[in-house]
Amino acid sequence: QQIIAIGDIEYGQYLAAECAACHQAGASEGIPAINGMDAEVFVALMLAYRSKVMENPVMQMIAGRLDDEQIGSLALYFSTLEPPK
């Protein structure tokens, strides 16, 4: 909740291009779409990757480069998008 509180949707939109490259709707098998994801779930997943609790070398590297404000901003932005159908 604290991380979400410091987020900014417009900043999240700015940062989202790198995420969308892999996570767009209809993403390849094994890569989930993140549009419409609950902000708290998004934050929890990113923190788990950043702390290496969840294993995925690519996501660990990406999450490791993000600070709390960036994670909160991305969470807010993606939570406002329509989920894939």
Side-chain angles (χ1 to χ4, degrees), residues 21-32:
C22 295
H23 289 278
Q24 62 196 357
S28 62
E29 194 172 318
I31 301 175

Side-chain angles (χ1 to χ4, degrees), residues 3-13 69 72-74 76-77:
I3 290 175
I4 295 168
I6 62 173
D8 176 83
I9 291 175
E10 290 171 358
Y11 186 36
Q13 183 176 12
E69 179 187 11
S73 297
L74 287 165
L76 286 172
Y77 174 68

Side-chain angles (χ1 to χ4, degrees), residues 10-81:
E10 290 171 358
Y11 186 36
Q13 183 176 12
Y14 169 76
L15 297 170
E18 183 179 356
C19 306
C22 295
H23 289 278
Q24 62 196 357
S28 62
E29 194 172 318
I31 301 175
I34 54 178
N35 290 2
M37 182 178 282
D38 179 80
E40 290 184 24
V41 171
F42 184 94
V43 169
L45 289 169
M46 294 303 289
L47 294 178
Y49 283 122
R50 190 169 75 181
S51 65
K52 299 186 178 4
V53 170
M54 289 185 68
E55 290 189 28
N56 180 303
V58 173
M59 286 305 302
Q60 288 174 348
M61 178 189 68
I62 291 167
R65 295 189 319 225
L66 298 173
D67 63 27
D68 287 352
E69 179 187 11
Q70 291 169 323
I71 290 173
S73 297
L74 287 165
L76 286 172
Y77 174 68
F78 283 113
S79 71
T80 67
L81 301 180

